[in-house]
Amino acid sequence: MIMVVSAMVSSLYYDLYKKQIIDTKIIQLNGRIENLLLRSEYELNYVKSYLRQKIESKEASLIFNAKQSGNNLPAPDVTEFLNLFVNQKNSANDNSPVINDLIVFDANQQMIVHINTLDPFAVPILKITTKEIMEQTGEQGAPNKISQYHFFLDSPYLNQIPSLYILQAFSHYQLYSKSFYDSNDDIYVAQAKLDSNFFKKEIKALVEQHHGYLNYQFIDKKSSVDKLSFSSTPFQINENGSYQGSFKSALFDIILTLNKNYFAEQLNNILIKFLLLNLILITLSYWLLIWLIDQQIILPITKLAKSVKAVEASLVVELTPLTSKDEVADLNESYMSLIHKINDQANNDSLTGLANRGSFNEKLASVQNVRQKNQTYVALFFIDLDNFKYVNDNFGHDTGDRLLIAFSQRLKKTLRVEDKFISGDMINSIARLGGDEFVILMNGLPSIEAIESIGKRISNIFYDGFSLGEDKFDVHASIGIAYSNDLKKNGETLLTQADDAMYLAKRAGKNNYKLFSDEIKEKMLFEKNIEIELINAYSDDQFSLVFMPCYSAETLALKGYEVLLRCPILKDAGIGPDIFIPIAENSDIILAIDLWVAEETVNRLAEVIQKNGFTGFFSFNVSSKSLRNDKFYTILKKILASSDINPKQLELEITETCLMPDDHQAVASLNQLKSLGIRIAIDDFGTGYTSFGQILNYPLDTLKIDRSFVTNLRITPAGKKPTLDIIFELAKAYQLNVIVEGVEMQADFEHVKTLGCDIVQGFYFSKPRTWTEVLKQCGQLHQLVKKRGQHKKIACYG
Ligand code: C2E
Ligand code: CA
Ligand code: CA
């Protein structure tokens, strides 16, 4: 673009310039010719009048008269006079034409005087005879016509300007009186050869000045004229493109031709200059443009791109705002806000605004680099909300989100109080790791007591549940704390230890905090080993079942069995299901175990029905984790479908503690299971927080009163045992079976019997039995029934 514009402007300018150059030259040349013309006319007139003045002077007349009268030519006098005249003329003005040769001759062609200033011995050349002059005058003896001029050109040499001859006829009488002038004999002719230095010089100068581009052509037109004047034609372009002008007279023309190449060369120079200028201009503007683009666009954009890349790589580099007010600055600003947003998203949890897992991990990684001043502690608090999932599932995610936001705000507020404990280089951070997991990293804590007090403060947030506006949720926090006052522990270790401590805090029950200790470490190790043993036992098919008989409280007839899991390897180490089941529940192995137990129970039930016509129930325990696992229902459905047992003889026990008030999901799952035709029992009733009213939402058949009730009955003074009464009454009202567990002695049995319990189980009646024992017991009962002749299948062996 720059090139095109510059080329256009240049060409326009060049055209103007060219015209101007030519015009100027032509004007100049015309001026020179005009000058030549004026000067030539002036000089000719000057010489003419000078010559005439001298020849027709009194002196000349006297001399010629004397000569006439004496018959002898007073040649010396005339010569002297004329020499003087010539010399006077030639020395008069340097620039005026010079008389080189002067001849005066009489009517008979008799030479009277010949003066040649250049060559004294030069042969006189007469251009015309006196007679010829006289003839040309027409009227003989007319004295007023004698005095006239004739002009001749010297024969020109090739292209050289010749000299001019001026001839003047005169008579020495004419000055005196007419009467003397009567014969042609009295006529003289003066022939002066003139050389115009000025003229020749001027032409030569013109030619030289134009370095051979200006030529002149001399055209000889006539040999003589009696009148001479000059004219000129101005320079004009001719058909060849050259410029021509002329200097004209009757005798000769001088045609001056200025070759067109004269301008071509000059213009070429200018063109080259123009091109060079253009080139320089284009190059300069190109580089200026490049520089400007570089400075104003590329440099800021590259800088921006670099910063963006750096931000992309580390998410820490800040962009600097640009001071300029252009598009690049706008772009920079947009990037800045975008990066801020991305940074925010990358580092912060979008819901609570706390740090997220990523940025927390970064903080954690720097833990080891922080020197603990004066033996202060760095502590990591791992907080997991209990029952949060329940809130989310049953009150909606909005409520869940609100709860998390409220908690994070209360957490921050609580920790602000604790700031006074903190000193030194802080790397404190509160982060949400995801879901309902929060972590706090605190530095410079003075003592373990201080650490513990923070744990206490956090769990106090949940004192009596978590209130959100008008509502109160049964949500609590399990807090695990890991700490260190040396550089041995790195951040990762702290996090695992806090996580382990949290896990144990959760196991210990509602709203608990636990500091990581060697004991916890051992416990975690122990549990990890148990988990491994359970996985191995499952894959090696090492699990077995025992069966706890349940009896009618009234008749003591066998009503059924509760199927209980055994792991022989662990049993040898004194570890029963009360220990290993909660461990299994923390791992996915429980899902496999529960399904194994379910299938095994169905098979055993089928077997005992088939072998002994068993009509009682088999109940089996299912972990809450399985209840929330969709596969459990589908697989149980398949198991039942492939067996021909009556599903009514199968009872599923679910622990009360895993049921929450208004737990819609649990209700849905239980309804689904219930739809298989099996019975549902709630286990360990009384240990959870389900009110009786809420229990009615569940599709229940049986309530299993927790063993602790029976134990409590033993120590409760008589007359103060209302709780169980009410339960029995209500259970009856809602047609629920009531089973009392843990009847260990006669007194227990007496108690529960009077309260109106349906079924009892406990060591008082029997310890859990092996399968052989079950088959034996059922076999004997079967025989008994047979003997009594009761072939009808009844639900109870009485
Ligand atoms: P649970 O469901 O309450 O089972 C009853 C537990 O109480 C059994 O212990 C049983 O042996 C014990 N027991 C029965 N009568 C008495 C008595 O009079 N006195 C005393 N002290 N104990 C009595 P076990 O077999 O050790 O089971 C413990 C817990 O393990 C069970 O409590 C149940 O929650 C869980 N469990 C056992 N088997 C399974 C299973 O197959 N699957 C699942 N998910 N959990 C199981
Ligand atoms: Ca049970
Ligand atoms: Ca129980």
Side-chain angles (χ1 to χ4, degrees):
M1 193 65 195
I2 295 170
M3 276 168 77
V4 169
V5 170
S6 155
M8 273 166 67
V9 169
S10 296
S11 110
L12 213 80
Y13 194 67
Y14 172 75
D15 273 356
L16 281 171
Y17 195 80
K18 181 177 162 184
K19 195 173 173 311
Q20 206 201 335
I21 278 187
I22 292 172
D23 287 354
T24 312
K25 189 77 230 170
I26 297 301
I27 288 168
Q28 189 196 355
L29 283 174
N30 286 339
R32 292 283 283 271
I33 293 185
E34 197 62 25
N35 191 30
L36 201 64
L37 178 84
L38 292 173
R39 186 69 190 266
S40 300
E41 266 172 1
Y42 164 78
E43 284 189 347
L44 192 67
N45 287 336
Y46 177 78
V47 171
K48 261 161 70 184
S49 65
Y50 190 78
L51 192 64
R52 184 174 184 164
Q53 194 192 330
K54 283 294 165 188
I55 283 171
E56 290 183 354
S57 66
K58 201 177 172 187
E59 276 170 291
S61 196
L62 280 174
I63 290 167
F64 281 103
N65 266 340
K67 176 229 153 200
Q68 199 65 20
S69 56
N71 280 332
N72 283 328
L73 267 178
D77 291 352
V78 176
T79 310
E80 199 180 332
F81 168 73
L82 289 176
N83 247 332
L84 201 71
F85 153 64
V86 168
N87 286 340
Q88 266 176 356
K89 165 74 193 94
N90 287 357
S91 62
N93 186 333
D94 271 353
N95 270 333
S96 66
V98 167
I99 299 172
N100 280 335
D101 190 287
L102 179 72
I103 304 171
V104 178
F105 55 97
D106 62 14
N108 304 318
Q109 310 299 110
Q110 196 68 44
M111 191 103 59
I112 295 166
V113 179
H114 179 212
I115 298 162
N116 190 309
T117 57
L118 302 172
D119 178 9
F121 304 104
V123 181
I125 299 164
L126 293 180
K127 281 287 176 186
I128 195 168
T129 63
T130 317
K131 200 173 164 230
E132 278 169 326
I133 295 175
M134 295 313 289
E135 276 164 15
Q136 276 175 24
T137 60
E139 285 174 64
Q140 291 232 335
N144 56 336
K145 285 192 179 171
I146 288 173
S147 179
Q148 71 171 4
Y149 303 97
H150 288 268
F151 305 92
F152 286 92
L153 277 184
D154 197 0
S155 39
Y157 299 104
L158 187 67
N159 218 16
Q160 274 210 352
I161 299 165
S163 302
L164 183 74
Y165 286 88
I166 301 176
L167 278 80
Q168 193 185 357
F170 68 95
S171 167
H172 63 281
Y173 291 124
Q174 68 186 106
L175 292 170
Y176 296 101
S177 89
K178 252 173 146 189
S179 57
F180 291 111
Y181 183 63
D182 55 1
S183 159
N184 280 348
D185 291 348
D186 296 327
I187 304 293
Y188 295 89
V189 174
Q191 178 189 295
K193 185 183 177 189
L194 288 178
D195 246 335
S196 171
N197 272 339
F198 162 76
F199 194 84
K200 286 183 181 174
K201 260 191 205 161
E202 184 64 13
I203 298 283
K204 208 177 150 199
L206 259 176
V207 169
E208 271 172 6
Q209 270 170 22
H210 294 87
H211 311 288
Y213 285 105
L214 186 83
N215 301 313
Y216 73 88
Q217 196 190 351
F218 192 89
I219 301 169
D220 193 355
K221 281 162 85 180
K222 271 183 185 173
S223 56
S224 88
V225 287
D226 54 2
K227 268 181 193 150
L228 192 62
S229 66
F230 303 108
S231 69
S232 70
T233 51
F235 273 83
Q236 262 172 354
I237 191 160
N238 68 6
E239 67 275 7
N240 302 327
S242 300
Y243 296 84
Q244 231 165 39
S246 54
F247 182 87
K248 287 180 174 172
S249 73
L251 280 178
F252 64 88
D253 282 355
I254 291 176
I255 296 171
L256 288 157
T257 309
L258 185 68
N259 195 305
K260 62 179 172 190
N261 291 338
Y262 172 76
F263 293 113
E265 187 169 300
Q266 203 182 356
L267 287 171
N268 273 351
N269 282 343
I270 287 158
L271 197 68
I272 287 168
K273 271 181 201 159
F274 259 121
L275 284 176
L276 268 171
L277 198 79
N278 241 312
L279 203 73
I280 291 166
L281 211 80
I282 288 168
T283 316
L284 277 178
S285 26
Y286 173 78
W287 285 115
L288 188 79
L289 211 72
I290 292 279
W291 182 80
L292 275 173
I293 292 172
D294 199 59
Q295 287 298 309
Q296 299 298 313
I297 301 167
I298 297 179
L299 218 71
I301 289 184
T302 347
K303 207 174 141 196
L304 183 64
K306 229 189 212 166
S307 310
V308 171
K309 263 187 203 152
V311 171
E312 196 187 340
S314 64
L315 290 166
V316 288
V317 178
E318 282 286 316
L319 283 181
T320 39
L322 293 182
T323 45
S324 58
K325 275 195 158 55
D326 52 14
E327 290 79 0
V328 177
D330 282 354
L331 185 68
N332 189 69
E333 206 167 299
S334 307
Y335 261 116
M336 272 171 64
S337 71
L338 186 70
I339 282 166
H340 274 300
K341 226 178 248 172
I342 293 172
N343 257 346
D344 247 32
Q345 275 172 11
N347 294 322
N348 298 326
D349 171 51
S350 56
L351 182 70
T352 59
L354 300 177
N356 65 12
R357 185 185 285 271
S359 60
F360 181 77
N361 282 344
E362 266 170 41
K363 277 259 162 78
L364 203 58
S366 60
V367 157
Q368 229 179 355
N369 302 330
V370 178
R371 289 214 79 82
Q372 291 308 313
K373 284 185 185 168
N374 314 322
Q375 287 291 298
T376 57
Y377 290 86
V378 59
L380 198 150
F381 300 76
F382 199 116
I383 306 164
D384 188 288
L385 302 188
D386 309 323
N387 294 337
F388 173 72
K389 192 179 170 346
Y390 165 78
V391 174
N392 231 2
D393 289 348
N394 293 283
F395 296 93
H397 287 262
D398 281 353
T399 312
D401 286 353
R402 267 173 49 228
L403 194 147
L404 290 175
I405 294 166
F407 169 61
S408 52
Q409 282 164 356
R410 288 177 209 177
L411 189 61
K412 276 196 268 186
K413 214 164 143 192
T414 307
L415 292 173
R416 225 170 283 143
V417 181
E418 300 304 329
D419 276 352
K420 61 177 185 284
F421 289 120
I422 303 163
S423 63
D425 330 290
M426 295 211 283
I427 46 162
N428 306 296
S429 169
I430 310 174
R432 177 174 169 229
L433 295 189
D436 56 2
E437 285 181 349
F438 293 83
V439 275
I440 303 159
L441 189 64
M442 279 187 134
N443 188 34
L445 295 166
S447 62
I448 294 172
E449 288 73 44
I451 297 171
E452 244 183 303
S453 86
I454 293 172
K456 220 174 273 172
R457 226 175 251 278
I458 298 168
S459 57
N460 274 348
I461 297 175
F462 298 93
Y463 178 77
D464 202 22
F466 191 88
S467 51
L468 201 62
E470 303 259 284
D471 303 318
K472 187 162 252 173
F473 294 94
D474 193 26
V475 170
H476 298 267
S478 294
I479 306 158
I481 308 165
Y483 57 91
S484 163
N485 66 347
D486 54 34
L487 295 177
K488 280 178 200 144
K489 282 185 196 173
N490 61 21
E492 217 172 299
T493 314
L494 279 176
L495 189 67
T496 344
Q497 291 185 347
D499 192 12
D500 287 348
M502 184 279 292
Y503 167 74
L504 290 175
K506 197 175 265 304
R507 286 265 304 279
K510 285 181 198 171
N511 225 25
N512 239 305
Y513 67 87
K514 266 205 159 41
L515 271 78
F516 184 84
S517 60
D518 285 349
E519 195 189 319
I520 286 177
K521 195 170 157 186
E522 265 168 40
K523 206 163 182 180
M524 294 306 299
L525 204 69
F526 168 77
E527 295 205 348
K528 194 74 218 162
N529 285 333
I530 297 220
E531 193 189 325
I532 292 165
E533 287 297 340
L534 288 174
I535 292 166
N536 289 340
Y538 178 77
S539 54
D540 297 348
D541 202 14
Q542 289 295 313
F543 284 116
S544 63
L545 297 174
V546 289
F547 304 84
M548 185 73 185
C550 304
Y551 297 96
S552 160
E554 203 188 331
T555 63
L556 283 181
L558 179 71
K559 289 294 225 179
Y561 293 95
E562 179 184 358
V563 179
L564 295 164
L565 181 69
R566 293 291 177 265
C567 180
I569 296 169
L570 292 178
K571 196 185 176 190
D572 293 346
I575 298 161
D578 50 337
I579 295 168
F580 75 70
I581 287 293
I583 296 170
E585 279 175 337
N586 274 304
S587 139
D588 280 346
I589 190 69
I590 192 69
L591 302 176
I593 291 173
D594 280 350
L595 280 168
W596 182 83
V597 171
E599 188 170 15
E600 208 50 24
T601 305
V602 170
N603 290 343
R604 298 290 168 95
L605 180 62
E607 190 183 336
V608 77
I609 291 169
Q610 192 248 318
K611 281 185 176 156
N612 308 113
F614 180 70
T615 54
F617 66 83
F618 268 29
S619 72
F620 66 103
N621 296 281
V622 170
S623 148
S624 66
K625 208 166 175 180
S626 292
L627 193 68
R628 295 174 208 283
N629 175 26
D630 293 339
K631 271 193 193 152
F632 185 78
Y633 162 76
T634 33
I635 295 175
L636 185 63
K637 192 178 171 184
K638 270 187 201 155
I639 294 168
L640 287 171
S642 62
S643 152
D644 54 4
I645 61 150
N646 179 359
K648 285 229 149 48
Q649 283 182 265
L650 203 61
E651 192 161 72
L652 185 146
E653 289 185 18
I654 189 93
T655 314
E656 192 212 350
T657 43
C658 51
L659 298 176
M660 300 297 299
D662 301 321
D663 192 338
H664 305 303
Q665 214 195 343
V667 173
S669 297
L670 288 174
N671 275 323
Q672 207 180 25
L673 290 167
K674 178 85 183 165
S675 73
L676 294 173
I678 62 175
R679 294 160 65 84
I680 308 283
I682 190 152
D683 202 358
D684 304 336
F685 184 69
T687 53
Y689 6 68
T690 338
S691 72
F692 205 89
Q694 286 161 338
I695 280 287
L696 297 176
N697 292 328
Y698 298 112
L700 295 183
D701 300 281
T702 307
L703 280 186
K704 288 190 85 166
I705 312 290
D706 191 62
R707 207 169 63 213
S708 56
F709 276 91
V710 182
T711 327
N712 280 342
L713 277 174
R714 293 176 204 149
I715 51 165
T716 315
K720 278 208 167 183
K721 300 166 180 108
T723 336
L724 267 185
D725 291 23
I726 296 161
I727 291 172
F728 282 122
E729 291 287 322
L730 286 169
K732 282 240 164 61
Y734 290 98
Q735 289 159 344
L736 294 173
N737 258 335
V738 180
I739 302 179
V740 174
E741 304 183 287
V743 179
E744 287 180 345
M745 49 186 85
Q746 172 98 42
D748 297 342
F749 180 48
E750 299 293 326
H751 266 132
V752 296
K753 212 168 118 177
T754 48
L755 287 169
C757 148
D758 302 314
I759 300 167
V760 284
Q761 76 175 76
F763 292 169
Y764 174 64
F765 306 103
S766 167
K767 289 252 168 159
R769 296 186 174 187
T770 63
W771 183 236
T772 327
E773 288 167 344
V774 170
L775 283 178
K776 201 174 156 196
Q777 187 183 20
C778 291
Q780 285 169 355
L781 285 169
H782 191 53
Q783 291 305 319
L784 208 72
V785 172
K786 263 191 192 167
K787 264 189 206 160
R788 285 185 190 163
Q790 289 179 355
H791 293 287
K792 246 196 315 162
K793 277 189 181 172
I794 49 164
C796 162
Y797 292 75

